[in-house]
Amino acid sequence: LSVFSKVFCSAVLRVCAPLSKMALFQPVTQVRMTNVAVIKYKSHGKRFEVACYKNKILNWRNGIEKDLDEVLQIPQVFENVSKGKYANRNDLLKVFGTADDIAVCKVILDKGEIQVSEKEREVHLESLFRDVATVLAEMCVNAQTGHPLPVSMLESALRDAHFSVRPNDPAKKQALRAFEILQQRLPNYIARAHMRLRVVCAESDRLLMRSHLLQRFNARIESEDPTPPPGETLLPVGEQQLDSEDEGADAEGRGVSRPAGATAG
């Protein structure tokens, strides 16, 4: 070969050598799910999974979201979501008593364990902890002054008590549990806030109503007026129940309760 041919071939090899090391681009035909969270459910030695949207799981469990299609990525039950392996029908019948995917998906959504990254779990637990403290601040007061308790103080008290939130329980339910813990540790500092009610009843039922309020609801009676205001209507208490945290509580006799504002203490 001539000198020119040798130089040309050398230049071509220098240009083509890096290209030969590059991987060929292959078109991806697999459908990839995004914004996916996996809920796992284990029972009878079997594992079942469903693929959901991350931001819809808690809405479903709290009753905010009713449309299952808005929660599930695919309305199918998997043995392993990442591998795309569907659950065996015989296993579904053995564990759930049905092979209907929709019915089984609902059970897994309600009772399964959400698989999220450690960072996402920390963010969720911290947000839930603040929600619990906020609800607690709305239902509690300072037992000595009757003033509201700041959220920051309650957060500090809960951390000192080593209170840990449960990721699948609503904030209100956990706030009730937190109140019991703090009241045991700080009985002279924290108390439930009270609602002020005006109860109207017939004079013949006054003593019965008084006894019921004191014994059933541990109420604090501030004043009594034997003469009802004009225009008030007397109704049987059995037909119109008193508002309280004990749902369904009522009293014998006649009377009607009307909210008259809230009081702390």
Side-chain angles (χ1 to χ4, degrees):
L1 295 175
S2 64
V3 175
F4 175 78
S5 298
K6 291 180 179 180
V7 173
F8 177 77
C9 291
S10 178
V12 171
L13 289 175
R14 285 198 300 269
V15 172
C16 294
L19 296 177
S20 64
K21 297 179 181 180
M22 295 177 62
L24 293 175
F25 174 76
Q26 297 283 350
V28 178
T29 57
Q30 181 182 7
V31 177
R32 300 184 182 274
M33 294 183 292
T34 59
N35 187 29
V36 63
V38 177
I39 299 184
K40 296 184 178 182
Y41 181 84
K42 294 182 180 180
S43 181
H44 296 73
K46 302 294 182 179
R47 184 180 70 178
F48 306 94
E49 299 179 353
V50 293
C52 311
Y53 295 101
K54 292 181 180 180
N55 55 341
K56 292 291 185 177
I57 299 173
L58 293 180
N59 289 345
W60 170 269
R61 290 185 171 180
N62 293 332
I64 299 174
E65 181 60 65
K66 303 292 185 180
D67 188 356
L68 198 62
D69 292 334
E70 294 293 328
V71 180
L72 295 176
Q73 293 262 6
I74 299 177
Q76 296 283 341
V77 181
F78 293 84
E79 181 180 330
N80 191 307
V81 170
S82 61
K83 295 181 179 180
K85 185 177 181 181
Y86 292 108
N88 185 280
R89 295 294 170 183
N90 293 330
D91 293 340
L92 294 178
L93 287 171
K94 178 181 177 181
V95 177
F96 301 98
T98 178
D100 182 62
D101 284 303
I102 298 300
V104 175
C105 284
K106 290 181 179 179
V107 175
I108 297 177
L109 281 173
D110 293 335
K111 300 181 179 180
E113 179 182 357
I114 305 174
Q115 300 296 304
V116 294
S117 67
E118 188 64 26
K119 183 63 177 178
E120 289 176 323
R121 179 178 176 83
E122 291 178 2
V123 172
H124 171 65
L125 292 179
E126 184 62 27
S127 175
L128 185 57
F129 184 85
R130 288 194 298 268
D131 292 342
V132 171
T134 301
V135 174
L136 191 60
E138 295 174 352
M139 60 185 288
C140 300
V141 294
N142 188 310
Q144 299 176 358
T145 65
H147 295 162
L149 297 172
V151 176
S152 58
M153 188 282 296
L154 291 172
E155 289 182 357
S156 177
L158 289 175
R159 288 192 173 93
D160 292 341
H162 304 288
F163 175 82
S164 58
V165 295
R166 298 169 182 172
N168 296 331
D169 288 347
K172 185 175 182 179
K173 178 180 178 180
Q174 300 195 68
L176 294 173
R177 181 169 60 92
F179 171 77
E180 295 177 357
I181 295 175
L182 293 184
Q183 194 174 45
Q184 292 177 359
R185 292 173 58 91
L186 306 168
N188 299 324
Y189 188 75
I190 186 171
R192 286 291 297 269
H194 292 169
M195 175 176 288
R196 180 178 287 112
L197 297 176
R198 182 176 61 192
V199 181
V200 180
C201 67
E203 176 61 25
S204 59
D205 298 323
R206 183 170 64 86
L207 294 179
L208 178 62
M209 179 62 69
R210 177 186 176 89
S211 175
H212 180 77
L213 291 174
L214 293 175
Q215 296 178 11
R216 182 66 179 273
F217 302 108
N218 193 27
R220 185 180 63 194
I221 299 178
E222 297 180 339
S223 63
E224 293 184 58
D225 185 359
T227 304
E232 295 285 3
T233 303
L234 302 181
L235 297 175
V237 172
E239 296 180 8
Q240 181 163 337
Q241 300 173 352
L242 290 172
D243 292 330
S244 73
E245 61 181 354
D246 297 325
E247 185 176 355
D250 57 12
E252 297 178 356
R254 295 184 298 164
V256 58
S257 63
R258 300 177 181 277
T263 180

